Every structure is written in C-alpha cells, then in structure tokens.
Amino acid sequence: MPEQTIHILHLFPDLLNLYGDKGNLAALCKRLTWRGIEATVTTVTQDSKELSLDDVDIVFLGGGSDREQMTVAERLMPYKQALKDYVEQGGVLLGFCGGFELLGTSWWAGDIQTDGLGILDIHAERGEQRFIGDVVLSSDWTEQPICGFENHPGRMQIGDYQPLGKVIAGHGNDGVSALEGVLYKNVFATYLHGPLLPKNPELCDSILTRALTKKYPDFAELSPLDDTLELAANRFIVQNFSGNEK
Ligand code: GLN
C-alpha cells in the first residue's frame, strides 16, 4: 500500500483539452506511481453539480478554444474566492494556456474582453497575430532548458510577478518582454502545451515536490528516475534552435 497520495483535481477536461494537455496529467501521475506514491484524479466537467477543493493537492486547468474557455470562466466564477484562498494557502495550481489566461483579471475571447478569475493580478491583451510554434526557455527551476509549443493570440502581462522562464526561442507571454509563464507561491502557469511535462521531467518533478512538501512537511525528495528518453526528446527540440536564439 502506498503511504503517500497526491490528489489531482482536473477542471473541465471535456472543455479544456488542447494540444495533448492530458499528457501533462499522465506525466504527473506516472512520475508519482513510478516512485510508489499514489495518484488519484477527480474531474469536474460540464455535468458536475459542484466543485470541492477539499483534500486537493494539485488543481489542473488545461487550455481550450475561446468558446470553451468562456464557458469554463462562467462555470468557475462562483468558485473564484475558494480558488484564491486555496492559492494563498500554498495549494498547487497549474494553468496551461487558456488555463493561464483564466487565472488573470481579464483576457480576450475574439474581440470580447472577458473577466478572468482574478486569482493573480495579471491580464492578457490580444495581438493581431497568433504566436504559434515551438518555444525554448531558460529557467531557474531547471538545469535543462524547458521546451514546449505555443499557439495563442493573447499577450500576457505579468507585471512584477516572477516568470516561469526567459524566452530563448519562440514568443512567450507577449513577444516583447522575453518572459514566459508565471510563478506565484505554488501557482505555475504557462502558454506552453505540447504536452509540456513529459518532455520537461525536472519541471514536472519540481511541481510534484511542491505538492508533496505541502502535504507531507517531512517529505525529503523524489527518488531519481531514468529520464533518458524524456531528456532526449527535450534535447531534440532544444538543438533545433541552437544558433537561432533571441
Ligand atoms: N483560447 C485561446 C485561443 O483559442 C487559448 C488557446 C490555448 O489554450 N492554446 O487561442
């Protein structure tokens, strides 16, 4: 019997599910179970009657088209204070692209400026062009550069918050600041999909370590895994950009 369990709440996988975001969930769960730690996942979908954050260790918000993102924004509005409290108390929350934008105060669904949940004081403007393609970041979180895929017209303004990383190749939050993503307490949000976590195992593990340390204050560290394949996938993408850095 595993002695430790991490419980993940997957919000609206029926609406927010672009670019293999489910692979992020698979990476989180597998990297726990490979270490003998139990991973359980509860989903809240359009058909769900309620949303409870009780006993949740990681909240997961993927990305979706503007229409779906708007539906999720409406459905989550009654829970915005509960989500904010969860974040302020150090709960781990992950937002990928559409999920990233929903955390802020506003974002654009086409030409309609739309309220976000306001969990973070960030907001997305809208640019004329979509930013589409592979992205490589350097980050304080990881030795290996982080790589992922972006596809968004949003131009995220994170103010004084800490970014996830610095853009080496690609566009990132807004195409001008050379910043990508945002980190706040145990909130981790980014425009990168792809999915992101299978090919960035250090990042996945640092998220898991935060969730485990929050739940089990005596938690020491994750045991190492053989990441040969994962790191080869990462290097393949990173090497495509060497020499093309910003
Ligand atoms: N809703 C935004 C869009 O359609 C973000 C999509 C995404 O999550 N990549 O561009």
Side-chain angles (χ1 to χ4, degrees), residues 16 18-19 21 62-67 69 96-99 101 107-109 126 130 150-154 191 193:
L16 302 179
L18 289 182
Y19 309 114
D21 278 344
S65 70
D66 286 351
R67 194 183 50 228
Q69 200 173 315
F96 300 94
C97 197
E101 293 186 342
W107 58 283
W108 291 82
R126 195 163 184 100
R130 293 187 79 87
E150 64 181 343
N151 184 352
H152 55 101
Y191 270 124
H193 308 252

PDB file of all heavy atoms in Angstrom, residues 16 18-19 21 62-67 69 96-99 101 107-109 126 130 150-154 191 193, ligand 1:
ATOM      1  N   LEU A  16     -11.407  21.912 -21.749  1.00  0.00           N
ATOM      2  CA  LEU A  16     -10.021  22.394 -21.847  1.00  0.00           C
ATOM      3  C   LEU A  16      -9.119  21.179 -22.082  1.00  0.00           C
ATOM      4  O   LEU A  16      -8.764  20.470 -21.148  1.00  0.00           O
ATOM      5  CB  LEU A  16      -9.608  23.104 -20.550  1.00  0.00           C
ATOM      6  CG  LEU A  16     -10.469  24.302 -20.120  1.00  0.00           C
ATOM      7  CD1 LEU A  16      -9.955  24.885 -18.812  1.00  0.00           C
ATOM      8  CD2 LEU A  16     -10.481  25.377 -21.207  1.00  0.00           C
ATOM      9  N   LEU A  18      -6.621  20.993 -25.156  1.00  0.00           N
ATOM     10  CA  LEU A  18      -5.888  21.194 -26.418  1.00  0.00           C
ATOM     11  C   LEU A  18      -4.463  20.656 -26.359  1.00  0.00           C
ATOM     12  O   LEU A  18      -3.860  20.589 -25.285  1.00  0.00           O
ATOM     13  CB  LEU A  18      -5.798  22.693 -26.732  1.00  0.00           C
ATOM     14  CG  LEU A  18      -7.090  23.389 -27.161  1.00  0.00           C
ATOM     15  CD1 LEU A  18      -6.785  24.848 -27.464  1.00  0.00           C
ATOM     16  CD2 LEU A  18      -7.699  22.717 -28.375  1.00  0.00           C
ATOM     17  N   TYR A  19      -3.937  20.324 -27.515  1.00  0.00           N
ATOM     18  CA  TYR A  19      -2.502  20.042 -27.686  1.00  0.00           C
ATOM     19  C   TYR A  19      -1.943  19.026 -26.707  1.00  0.00           C
ATOM     20  O   TYR A  19      -0.860  19.201 -26.156  1.00  0.00           O
ATOM     21  CB  TYR A  19      -1.665  21.328 -27.602  1.00  0.00           C
ATOM     22  CG  TYR A  19      -2.177  22.403 -28.506  1.00  0.00           C
ATOM     23  CD1 TYR A  19      -2.701  23.571 -28.007  1.00  0.00           C
ATOM     24  CD2 TYR A  19      -2.159  22.205 -29.884  1.00  0.00           C
ATOM     25  CE1 TYR A  19      -3.217  24.531 -28.841  1.00  0.00           C
ATOM     26  CE2 TYR A  19      -2.683  23.170 -30.722  1.00  0.00           C
ATOM     27  CZ  TYR A  19      -3.204  24.326 -30.197  1.00  0.00           C
ATOM     28  OH  TYR A  19      -3.708  25.265 -31.018  1.00  0.00           O
ATOM     29  N   ASP A  21      -2.820  18.208 -23.658  1.00  0.00           N
ATOM     30  CA  ASP A  21      -2.668  18.583 -22.243  1.00  0.00           C
ATOM     31  C   ASP A  21      -2.888  17.396 -21.304  1.00  0.00           C
ATOM     32  O   ASP A  21      -2.384  17.387 -20.186  1.00  0.00           O
ATOM     33  CB  ASP A  21      -3.644  19.703 -21.863  1.00  0.00           C
ATOM     34  CG  ASP A  21      -3.115  21.071 -22.256  1.00  0.00           C
ATOM     35  OD1 ASP A  21      -1.904  21.164 -22.536  1.00  0.00           O
ATOM     36  OD2 ASP A  21      -3.896  22.028 -22.271  1.00  0.00           O
ATOM     37  N   GLY A  62      -6.335  23.017 -18.049  1.00  0.00           N
ATOM     38  CA  GLY A  62      -5.685  22.956 -19.365  1.00  0.00           C
ATOM     39  C   GLY A  62      -6.088  24.129 -20.248  1.00  0.00           C
ATOM     40  O   GLY A  62      -6.614  25.138 -19.764  1.00  0.00           O
ATOM     41  N   GLY A  63      -5.855  23.978 -21.547  1.00  0.00           N
ATOM     42  CA  GLY A  63      -6.161  25.048 -22.497  1.00  0.00           C
ATOM     43  C   GLY A  63      -7.312  24.651 -23.399  1.00  0.00           C
ATOM     44  O   GLY A  63      -7.558  23.461 -23.627  1.00  0.00           O
ATOM     45  N   GLY A  64      -8.031  25.648 -23.899  1.00  0.00           N
ATOM     46  CA  GLY A  64      -9.148  25.358 -24.785  1.00  0.00           C
ATOM     47  C   GLY A  64      -9.394  26.515 -25.725  1.00  0.00           C
ATOM     48  O   GLY A  64      -8.823  27.592 -25.558  1.00  0.00           O
ATOM     49  N   SER A  65     -10.268  26.293 -26.696  1.00  0.00           N
ATOM     50  CA  SER A  65     -10.620  27.368 -27.630  1.00  0.00           C
ATOM     51  C   SER A  65     -11.339  28.464 -26.842  1.00  0.00           C
ATOM     52  O   SER A  65     -11.813  28.233 -25.722  1.00  0.00           O
ATOM     53  CB  SER A  65     -11.532  26.832 -28.721  1.00  0.00           C
ATOM     54  OG  SER A  65     -12.789  26.551 -28.149  1.00  0.00           O
ATOM     55  N   ASP A  66     -11.464  29.640 -27.448  1.00  0.00           N
ATOM     56  CA  ASP A  66     -12.075  30.767 -26.736  1.00  0.00           C
ATOM     57  C   ASP A  66     -13.474  30.429 -26.240  1.00  0.00           C
ATOM     58  O   ASP A  66     -13.858  30.805 -25.127  1.00  0.00           O
ATOM     59  CB  ASP A  66     -12.156  31.993 -27.655  1.00  0.00           C
ATOM     60  CG  ASP A  66     -10.798  32.628 -27.858  1.00  0.00           C
ATOM     61  OD1 ASP A  66      -9.844  32.232 -27.171  1.00  0.00           O
ATOM     62  OD2 ASP A  66     -10.707  33.525 -28.722  1.00  0.00           O
ATOM     63  N   ARG A  67     -14.252  29.739 -27.089  1.00  0.00           N
ATOM     64  CA  ARG A  67     -15.632  29.430 -26.688  1.00  0.00           C
ATOM     65  C   ARG A  67     -15.642  28.575 -25.423  1.00  0.00           C
ATOM     66  O   ARG A  67     -16.347  28.857 -24.458  1.00  0.00           O
ATOM     67  CB  ARG A  67     -16.345  28.717 -27.843  1.00  0.00           C
ATOM     68  CG  ARG A  67     -17.845  28.672 -27.663  1.00  0.00           C
ATOM     69  CD  ARG A  67     -18.516  27.909 -28.771  1.00  0.00           C
ATOM     70  NE  ARG A  67     -17.883  26.618 -28.966  1.00  0.00           N
ATOM     71  CZ  ARG A  67     -17.521  26.126 -30.150  1.00  0.00           C
ATOM     72  NH1 ARG A  67     -17.718  26.823 -31.231  1.00  0.00           N
ATOM     73  NH2 ARG A  67     -16.958  24.940 -30.248  1.00  0.00           N
ATOM     74  N   GLN A  69     -13.224  28.194 -23.332  1.00  0.00           N
ATOM     75  CA  GLN A  69     -12.593  28.946 -22.232  1.00  0.00           C
ATOM     76  C   GLN A  69     -13.626  29.865 -21.557  1.00  0.00           C
ATOM     77  O   GLN A  69     -13.624  30.039 -20.342  1.00  0.00           O
ATOM     78  CB  GLN A  69     -11.440  29.751 -22.826  1.00  0.00           C
ATOM     79  CG  GLN A  69     -10.403  30.210 -21.835  1.00  0.00           C
ATOM     80  CD  GLN A  69      -9.211  30.864 -22.532  1.00  0.00           C
ATOM     81  OE1 GLN A  69      -8.724  30.340 -23.530  1.00  0.00           O
ATOM     82  NE2 GLN A  69      -8.749  31.984 -22.038  1.00  0.00           N
ATOM     83  N   PHE A  96      -2.476  25.926 -18.045  1.00  0.00           N
ATOM     84  CA  PHE A  96      -1.792  25.813 -19.337  1.00  0.00           C
ATOM     85  C   PHE A  96      -2.577  26.605 -20.378  1.00  0.00           C
ATOM     86  O   PHE A  96      -3.726  26.268 -20.694  1.00  0.00           O
ATOM     87  CB  PHE A  96      -1.687  24.344 -19.761  1.00  0.00           C
ATOM     88  CG  PHE A  96      -0.907  23.511 -18.776  1.00  0.00           C
ATOM     89  CD1 PHE A  96      -1.550  22.812 -17.759  1.00  0.00           C
ATOM     90  CD2 PHE A  96       0.480  23.451 -18.847  1.00  0.00           C
ATOM     91  CE1 PHE A  96      -0.829  22.062 -16.844  1.00  0.00           C
ATOM     92  CE2 PHE A  96       1.207  22.703 -17.931  1.00  0.00           C
ATOM     93  CZ  PHE A  96       0.549  22.001 -16.924  1.00  0.00           C
ATOM     94  N   CYS A  97      -1.967  27.631 -20.917  1.00  0.00           N
ATOM     95  CA  CYS A  97      -2.514  28.473 -21.985  1.00  0.00           C
ATOM     96  C   CYS A  97      -3.876  29.053 -21.626  1.00  0.00           C
ATOM     97  O   CYS A  97      -3.938  30.012 -20.881  1.00  0.00           O
ATOM     98  CB  CYS A  97      -2.546  27.729 -23.313  1.00  0.00           C
ATOM     99  SG  CYS A  97      -2.739  28.883 -24.669  1.00  0.00           S
ATOM    100  N   GLY A  98      -4.983  28.485 -22.122  1.00  0.00           N
ATOM    101  CA  GLY A  98      -6.290  29.004 -21.721  1.00  0.00           C
ATOM    102  C   GLY A  98      -6.400  29.030 -20.203  1.00  0.00           C
ATOM    103  O   GLY A  98      -6.927  29.980 -19.617  1.00  0.00           O
ATOM    104  N   GLY A  99      -5.884  28.016 -19.553  1.00  0.00           N
ATOM    105  CA  GLY A  99      -5.901  27.940 -18.080  1.00  0.00           C
ATOM    106  C   GLY A  99      -5.063  29.035 -17.445  1.00  0.00           C
ATOM    107  O   GLY A  99      -5.385  29.540 -16.362  1.00  0.00           O
ATOM    108  N   GLU A 101      -4.597  32.048 -18.884  1.00  0.00           N
ATOM    109  CA  GLU A 101      -5.343  33.297 -19.059  1.00  0.00           C
ATOM    110  C   GLU A 101      -6.492  33.410 -18.060  1.00  0.00           C
ATOM    111  O   GLU A 101      -6.798  34.494 -17.563  1.00  0.00           O
ATOM    112  CB  GLU A 101      -5.868  33.391 -20.498  1.00  0.00           C
ATOM    113  CG  GLU A 101      -4.730  33.530 -21.509  1.00  0.00           C
ATOM    114  CD  GLU A 101      -5.199  33.774 -22.921  1.00  0.00           C
ATOM    115  OE1 GLU A 101      -6.385  33.501 -23.223  1.00  0.00           O
ATOM    116  OE2 GLU A 101      -4.372  34.236 -23.734  1.00  0.00           O
ATOM    117  N   TRP A 107      -9.083  38.651 -20.152  1.00  0.00           N
ATOM    118  CA  TRP A 107      -8.491  38.089 -21.362  1.00  0.00           C
ATOM    119  C   TRP A 107      -9.480  38.347 -22.485  1.00  0.00           C
ATOM    120  O   TRP A 107     -10.609  38.793 -22.244  1.00  0.00           O
ATOM    121  CB  TRP A 107      -8.217  36.580 -21.187  1.00  0.00           C
ATOM    122  CG  TRP A 107      -9.437  35.780 -20.861  1.00  0.00           C
ATOM    123  CD1 TRP A 107     -10.063  35.713 -19.642  1.00  0.00           C
ATOM    124  CD2 TRP A 107     -10.212  34.992 -21.754  1.00  0.00           C
ATOM    125  NE1 TRP A 107     -11.175  34.922 -19.723  1.00  0.00           N
ATOM    126  CE2 TRP A 107     -11.297  34.452 -20.999  1.00  0.00           C
ATOM    127  CE3 TRP A 107     -10.111  34.661 -23.107  1.00  0.00           C
ATOM    128  CZ2 TRP A 107     -12.258  33.627 -21.572  1.00  0.00           C
ATOM    129  CZ3 TRP A 107     -11.063  33.827 -23.670  1.00  0.00           C
ATOM    130  CH2 TRP A 107     -12.120  33.313 -22.908  1.00  0.00           C
ATOM    131  N   TRP A 108      -9.094  38.088 -23.726  1.00  0.00           N
ATOM    132  CA  TRP A 108      -9.961  38.374 -24.871  1.00  0.00           C
ATOM    133  C   TRP A 108     -10.438  37.087 -25.508  1.00  0.00           C
ATOM    134  O   TRP A 108      -9.631  36.242 -25.908  1.00  0.00           O
ATOM    135  CB  TRP A 108      -9.229  39.219 -25.912  1.00  0.00           C
ATOM    136  CG  TRP A 108      -8.973  40.612 -25.434  1.00  0.00           C
ATOM    137  CD1 TRP A 108      -7.965  41.031 -24.629  1.00  0.00           C
ATOM    138  CD2 TRP A 108      -9.762  41.769 -25.718  1.00  0.00           C
ATOM    139  NE1 TRP A 108      -8.065  42.374 -24.372  1.00  0.00           N
ATOM    140  CE2 TRP A 108      -9.160  42.855 -25.048  1.00  0.00           C
ATOM    141  CE3 TRP A 108     -10.919  42.005 -26.469  1.00  0.00           C
ATOM    142  CZ2 TRP A 108      -9.675  44.149 -25.099  1.00  0.00           C
ATOM    143  CZ3 TRP A 108     -11.431  43.297 -26.544  1.00  0.00           C
ATOM    144  CH2 TRP A 108     -10.813  44.351 -25.858  1.00  0.00           C
ATOM    145  N   ALA A 109     -11.764  36.964 -25.624  1.00  0.00           N
ATOM    146  CA  ALA A 109     -12.351  35.874 -26.394  1.00  0.00           C
ATOM    147  C   ALA A 109     -12.727  36.500 -27.728  1.00  0.00           C
ATOM    148  O   ALA A 109     -13.735  37.198 -27.821  1.00  0.00           O
ATOM    149  CB  ALA A 109     -13.574  35.323 -25.685  1.00  0.00           C
ATOM    150  N   ARG A 126      -4.782  41.301 -26.424  1.00  0.00           N
ATOM    151  CA  ARG A 126      -4.862  40.452 -27.613  1.00  0.00           C
ATOM    152  C   ARG A 126      -4.048  41.072 -28.740  1.00  0.00           C
ATOM    153  O   ARG A 126      -4.158  42.255 -29.007  1.00  0.00           O
ATOM    154  CB  ARG A 126      -6.313  40.304 -28.061  1.00  0.00           C
ATOM    155  CG  ARG A 126      -6.496  39.168 -29.053  1.00  0.00           C
ATOM    156  CD  ARG A 126      -7.960  38.806 -29.145  1.00  0.00           C
ATOM    157  NE  ARG A 126      -8.169  37.663 -30.003  1.00  0.00           N
ATOM    158  CZ  ARG A 126      -8.347  36.421 -29.569  1.00  0.00           C
ATOM    159  NH1 ARG A 126      -8.304  36.160 -28.289  1.00  0.00           N
ATOM    160  NH2 ARG A 126      -8.576  35.438 -30.421  1.00  0.00           N
ATOM    161  N   ARG A 130      -1.427  35.389 -34.189  1.00  0.00           N
ATOM    162  CA  ARG A 130      -1.258  34.317 -33.199  1.00  0.00           C
ATOM    163  C   ARG A 130       0.217  33.995 -33.100  1.00  0.00           C
ATOM    164  O   ARG A 130       0.939  34.051 -34.103  1.00  0.00           O
ATOM    165  CB  ARG A 130      -1.984  33.043 -33.639  1.00  0.00           C
ATOM    166  CG  ARG A 130      -3.473  33.151 -33.669  1.00  0.00           C
ATOM    167  CD  ARG A 130      -4.088  31.785 -33.957  1.00  0.00           C
ATOM    168  NE  ARG A 130      -4.106  30.957 -32.770  1.00  0.00           N
ATOM    169  CZ  ARG A 130      -5.082  30.961 -31.863  1.00  0.00           C
ATOM    170  NH1 ARG A 130      -6.134  31.718 -32.024  1.00  0.00           N
ATOM    171  NH2 ARG A 130      -5.017  30.188 -30.792  1.00  0.00           N
ATOM    172  N   GLU A 150       3.590  26.669 -28.374  1.00  0.00           N
ATOM    173  CA  GLU A 150       2.620  27.736 -28.067  1.00  0.00           C
ATOM    174  C   GLU A 150       1.694  27.971 -29.260  1.00  0.00           C
ATOM    175  O   GLU A 150       2.097  27.795 -30.409  1.00  0.00           O
ATOM    176  CB  GLU A 150       3.344  29.042 -27.704  1.00  0.00           C
ATOM    177  CG  GLU A 150       4.169  29.623 -28.834  1.00  0.00           C
ATOM    178  CD  GLU A 150       4.918  30.909 -28.456  1.00  0.00           C
ATOM    179  OE1 GLU A 150       4.573  31.543 -27.442  1.00  0.00           O
ATOM    180  OE2 GLU A 150       5.852  31.261 -29.194  1.00  0.00           O
ATOM    181  N   ASN A 151       0.467  28.350 -28.963  1.00  0.00           N
ATOM    182  CA  ASN A 151      -0.497  28.748 -30.003  1.00  0.00           C
ATOM    183  C   ASN A 151      -1.524  29.651 -29.337  1.00  0.00           C
ATOM    184  O   ASN A 151      -2.490  29.176 -28.743  1.00  0.00           O
ATOM    185  CB  ASN A 151      -1.175  27.515 -30.608  1.00  0.00           C
ATOM    186  CG  ASN A 151      -2.103  27.919 -31.741  1.00  0.00           C
ATOM    187  OD1 ASN A 151      -2.343  29.106 -31.980  1.00  0.00           O
ATOM    188  ND2 ASN A 151      -2.633  26.920 -32.442  1.00  0.00           N
ATOM    189  N   HIS A 152      -1.269  30.960 -29.412  1.00  0.00           N
ATOM    190  CA  HIS A 152      -2.153  31.892 -28.687  1.00  0.00           C
ATOM    191  C   HIS A 152      -2.071  33.284 -29.291  1.00  0.00           C
ATOM    192  O   HIS A 152      -0.985  33.743 -29.662  1.00  0.00           O
ATOM    193  CB  HIS A 152      -1.743  31.968 -27.206  1.00  0.00           C
ATOM    194  CG  HIS A 152      -0.303  32.342 -26.983  1.00  0.00           C
ATOM    195  ND1 HIS A 152       0.085  33.609 -26.636  1.00  0.00           N
ATOM    196  CD2 HIS A 152       0.849  31.633 -27.075  1.00  0.00           C
ATOM    197  CE1 HIS A 152       1.406  33.656 -26.503  1.00  0.00           C
ATOM    198  NE2 HIS A 152       1.892  32.465 -26.768  1.00  0.00           N
ATOM    199  N   PRO A 153      -3.221  33.984 -29.342  1.00  0.00           N
ATOM    200  CA  PRO A 153      -3.184  35.403 -29.729  1.00  0.00           C
ATOM    201  C   PRO A 153      -3.016  36.304 -28.504  1.00  0.00           C
ATOM    202  O   PRO A 153      -2.802  37.504 -28.636  1.00  0.00           O
ATOM    203  CB  PRO A 153      -4.558  35.617 -30.361  1.00  0.00           C
ATOM    204  CG  PRO A 153      -5.436  34.624 -29.672  1.00  0.00           C
ATOM    205  CD  PRO A 153      -4.590  33.471 -29.231  1.00  0.00           C
ATOM    206  N   GLY A 154      -3.144  35.743 -27.323  1.00  0.00           N
ATOM    207  CA  GLY A 154      -3.059  36.537 -26.096  1.00  0.00           C
ATOM    208  C   GLY A 154      -1.651  37.073 -25.873  1.00  0.00           C
ATOM    209  O   GLY A 154      -0.656  36.465 -26.267  1.00  0.00           O
ATOM    210  N   TYR A 191       1.990  29.469 -21.224  1.00  0.00           N
ATOM    211  CA  TYR A 191       1.329  29.285 -22.523  1.00  0.00           C
ATOM    212  C   TYR A 191       1.752  27.962 -23.168  1.00  0.00           C
ATOM    213  O   TYR A 191       1.225  27.602 -24.213  1.00  0.00           O
ATOM    214  CB  TYR A 191       1.690  30.438 -23.473  1.00  0.00           C
ATOM    215  CG  TYR A 191       0.744  31.618 -23.402  1.00  0.00           C
ATOM    216  CD1 TYR A 191       1.213  32.902 -23.124  1.00  0.00           C
ATOM    217  CD2 TYR A 191      -0.617  31.460 -23.635  1.00  0.00           C
ATOM    218  CE1 TYR A 191       0.354  33.988 -23.076  1.00  0.00           C
ATOM    219  CE2 TYR A 191      -1.485  32.535 -23.595  1.00  0.00           C
ATOM    220  CZ  TYR A 191      -1.003  33.799 -23.313  1.00  0.00           C
ATOM    221  OH  TYR A 191      -1.875  34.870 -23.266  1.00  0.00           O
ATOM    222  N   HIS A 193       2.172  24.200 -24.230  1.00  0.00           N
ATOM    223  CA  HIS A 193       1.489  22.902 -24.217  1.00  0.00           C
ATOM    224  C   HIS A 193       2.424  21.897 -24.869  1.00  0.00           C
ATOM    225  O   HIS A 193       3.601  22.092 -24.960  1.00  0.00           O
ATOM    226  CB  HIS A 193       0.256  22.860 -25.123  1.00  0.00           C
ATOM    227  CG  HIS A 193      -0.774  23.876 -25.012  1.00  0.00           C
ATOM    228  ND1 HIS A 193      -2.000  23.613 -24.478  1.00  0.00           N
ATOM    229  CD2 HIS A 193      -0.833  25.156 -25.446  1.00  0.00           C
ATOM    230  CE1 HIS A 193      -2.772  24.673 -24.600  1.00  0.00           C
ATOM    231  NE2 HIS A 193      -2.092  25.624 -25.174  1.00  0.00           N
TER     232      HIS A 193
HETATM  233  N1  GLN B   1      -8.388  30.396 -26.038  1.00  0.00           N
HETATM  234  C1  GLN B   1      -7.106  30.724 -26.590  1.00  0.00           C
HETATM  235  C2  GLN B   1      -7.127  30.524 -28.091  1.00  0.00           C
HETATM  236  O1  GLN B   1      -8.025  29.971 -28.639  1.00  0.00           O
HETATM  237  C3  GLN B   1      -6.014  29.914 -25.956  1.00  0.00           C
HETATM  238  C4  GLN B   1      -5.921  28.559 -26.562  1.00  0.00           C
HETATM  239  C5  GLN B   1      -4.954  27.683 -25.919  1.00  0.00           C
HETATM  240  O2  GLN B   1      -5.183  27.205 -24.814  1.00  0.00           O
HETATM  241  N2  GLN B   1      -3.878  27.392 -26.654  1.00  0.00           N
HETATM  242  O3  GLN B   1      -6.201  30.900 -28.727  1.00  0.00           O
END
